[in-house]
Amino acid sequence: MNPIALETFLAKLYTDPAARNSFLADPVRAAHDAGLEDDDVSSLNEIDKVGMRMAAASYVHKREQHRQPKMALHDTWVKWFKR
């Protein structure tokens, strides 16, 4: 087991839609192609695929939220008082 290789692969699965789709289509092949060892490959074959999709979507949403400009405090107060 190489924990760094496994963590790197998992991070890619959660952030790269093409890698995730390839993995979901054939988990064993994608894990082997990434150079993971057999015990990691067998573990990844049992991963919760629905949970992976949900987590990846959540991460995309969080990244999008951080990209949006923050409203200045003054503007927040003005908006609140105009209600």
Side-chain angles (χ1 to χ4, degrees):
M1 175 190 274
N2 181 344
I4 294 173
L6 179 58
E7 288 178 22
T8 301
F9 183 68
L10 286 170
K12 187 170 185 174
L13 292 180
Y14 286 109
T15 59
D16 182 348
R20 186 172 48 258
N21 289 335
S22 174
F23 173 79
L24 293 171
D26 190 350
V28 173
R29 175 176 292 237
H32 273 297
D33 289 349
L36 297 178
E37 297 175 7
D38 289 337
D39 56 337
D40 293 331
V41 172
S42 63
S43 295
L44 285 169
N45 194 36
E46 300 300 319
I47 199 167
D48 176 10
K49 293 166 181 68
V50 172
M52 174 186 285
R53 287 185 185 105
M54 290 175 62
S58 173
Y59 299 149
V60 167
H61 178 73
K62 288 178 184 177
R63 281 192 303 275
E64 291 299 321
Q65 293 298 313
H66 287 284
R67 289 184 186 150
Q68 294 179 1
K70 302 292 184 209
M71 188 180 296
L73 182 59
H74 174 266
D75 295 336
T76 304
W77 280 99
V78 170
K79 185 178 176 181
W80 187 83
F81 281 116
K82 285 185 176 181
R83 285 199 228 172

